[in-house]
Amino acid sequence: MRKQTTCYSCDKPIEPEWLPEGEFIVCDECSSDTDEKTVEKLQEQLNTAKKALTEIASTRQGIWRGGTLVGYEATEDAQFAIDALAAIGGDDE
Ligand SMILES: [Zn+2]
C-alpha cells in the first residue's frame, strides 16, 4: 500500500518519495506563499516596533540647574530606544 502525502496547507497530493518525515509538508506553491506571508508579517511587526521605539526615543526631560530649566535631554528610556533603533537600522529616510 502506497502512502499518500498531501500538502499540509492546501491538501494537494505530493509525490512522497523525496519528502522528509515528521515535518509539516507543503507543496511548492504553498511554500512560496508562506515565505511571502512570513516576510510580510515580520515587516509589519518590525514597523510596529520601530514606531513604538521612535515614540519613546522622542521623550525628553528638562535639565534643571539651581531651579532653572536650562534645556532638555533624552530620558534614560529614550536613550535605550535610540540605541535599539540604531541597532535595527532605524528609519530608511
Ligand atoms: Zn499546497
Side-chain angles (χ1 to χ4, degrees), residues 27-41:
C27 64
D28 286 345
E29 216 174 300
C30 290
S31 171
S32 59
D33 261 16
T34 304
D35 285 351
E36 256 173 57
K37 277 175 194 155
T38 303
V39 168
E40 222 169 84
K41 189 164 186 188

Side-chain angles (χ1 to χ4, degrees), residues 39-65:
V39 168
E40 222 169 84
K41 189 164 186 188
L42 286 174
Q43 191 64 50
E44 206 174 287
Q45 288 173 340
L46 182 63
N47 286 339
T48 304
K50 274 187 186 177
K51 205 174 156 192
L53 283 170
T54 303
E55 195 73 29
I56 298 164
S58 69
T59 54
R60 295 287 182 270
Q61 61 189 356
I63 306 167
W64 296 85
R65 298 267 185 276

